[in-house]
Amino acid sequence: MPQNEHIELFQKRYGFRMDYQERQRKKKAREHKLQSKMAQKLIGIKGKIFAKKRYSEKVQLKRTIKAHEEKKTRKKDEGKVPEGAMPAYLLDRENTSQAKLLSSMVKQKRKEKAGKWEVPLPKVRAQSEAEVFRVLKTGKSRRKGWKRLVTKVCFVGEGFTRKPPKYERFVRPMALRFKKAHVTHPELKATFCLPIVGVKKNPSSPMYTSLGVITKGTVIEVNVSELGLVTQGGKVVWGKYAQVTNNPENDGCINAILLV
């Protein structure tokens, strides 16, 4: 078979067509490899010229990045004094000039935004699938292994019903389903047993979040209506987030700290 027919067959099979723009994009993505190779190979005057050119390019790139990070602000111009007499109404007027400085307000806003989502346990050990799930053998001869048994504490909603065994992929045992958590209020220095509303985020995996698996570091939503918390507008707060601080599967209970 001629070469062009091979290419056509390949394109038909995989729906693949590399056009001019795609080739140019890939060529541009490989440029850094070529430059690295040249920097290692070139010696003498050619090497010096190449190094000088790369240095100027890097300086320009750094300047561009810095310019994007900076913000225009006004500052007092203490430079040149105008010649001749000035009118009385201009004597106390300050001349201003545009200067590029990093805005402290922007910095402060970034810090506040970052601080808003701080949690008591910022770093937790990731839970692998081998720890969270156990392979469940099914079928007449126990050869099928597509089902998984959840070995960690989990939360399921109020009206939860299991799927038929034929279609159920993840099995969450009744003994490991928890409905309440011991939540500590950091400002009140008191602990309350509050009902769980849902699992907001499990840092180990989005799949654990959707299954409602609760491990150390998981952010859960709890019902705080009995605490009598109110907003600035006077509305009663009934749902707040809390982070789990223990290993529930070892302790037999969920301990969490309220995020306020």
Side-chain angles (χ1 to χ4, degrees), residues 45 61 66 72 85 104 119 125 136 151 163 186 191 204 212 215 217:
I45 190 71
L61 187 69
K66 200 175 180 184
K72 280 188 177 181
S104 58
V119 287
R125 189 178 68 83
L136 206 64
T151 59
K163 287 180 183 177
T191 305
S204 298
T215 55

Side-chain angles (χ1 to χ4, degrees), residues 57-221:
E57 282 175 7
K58 284 179 181 178
V59 168
Q60 191 59 42
L61 187 69
K62 282 180 181 177
R63 280 179 184 166
T64 310
I65 291 166
K66 200 175 180 184
H68 282 299
E69 287 176 354
E70 287 170 351
K71 193 175 185 298
K72 280 188 177 181
T73 53
R74 289 180 178 273
K75 74 169 185 179
K76 191 177 173 183
D77 190 10
E78 295 174 358
K80 43 187 179 173
V81 179
E83 291 178 11
M86 282 182 73
Y89 62 86
L90 288 178
L91 286 171
D92 58 346
R93 185 177 291 182
E94 290 180 349
N95 292 326
T96 58
S97 64
Q98 290 286 341
K100 282 190 171 181
L101 295 167
L102 267 171
S103 172
S104 58
M105 192 185 290
V106 171
K107 278 185 179 177
Q108 190 63 31
K109 278 185 180 177
R110 281 180 191 164
K111 280 181 185 174
E112 283 172 10
K113 201 173 182 182
K116 190 181 177 183
W117 306 109
E118 278 181 3
V119 287
L121 302 176
K123 287 184 182 179
V124 286
R125 189 178 68 83
Q127 304 276 344
S128 65
E129 286 194 16
E131 288 177 274
V132 179
F133 303 125
R134 183 164 65 80
V135 178
L136 206 64
K137 295 289 183 181
T138 55
K140 194 175 182 180
S141 57
R142 292 285 180 265
R143 271 190 236 166
K144 294 176 183 177
W146 59 275
K147 284 193 178 188
R148 295 289 178 270
L149 182 76
V150 179
T151 59
K152 303 284 180 184
V153 166
C154 54
F155 169 78
V156 293
E158 196 64 44
F160 172 77
T161 51
R162 285 176 65 177
K163 287 180 183 177
K166 189 179 177 181
Y167 304 110
E168 193 175 33
R169 170 126 166 73
F170 297 100
V171 181
R172 287 168 281 190
M174 283 288 291
L176 290 173
R177 292 187 206 164
F178 280 51
K179 290 183 178 178
K180 291 201 171 187
H182 302 133
V183 183
T184 304
H185 197 295
E187 290 172 5
L188 297 174
K189 298 281 190 284
T191 305
F192 307 92
C193 189
L194 303 174
I196 301 168
V197 177
V199 177
K200 176 65 180 171
K201 186 173 174 66
N202 189 317
S204 298
S205 169
M207 185 170 69
Y208 301 164
T209 307
S210 61
L211 285 169
V213 176
I214 299 170
T215 55
K216 191 174 182 178
T218 305
V219 176
I220 58 172
E221 192 176 2

Side-chain angles (χ1 to χ4, degrees), residues 231-246:
T231 61
Q232 290 178 346
K235 291 183 179 178
V236 177
V237 178
W238 69 272
K240 276 187 90 67
Y241 295 136
Q243 191 184 30
V244 178
T245 55
N246 70 326

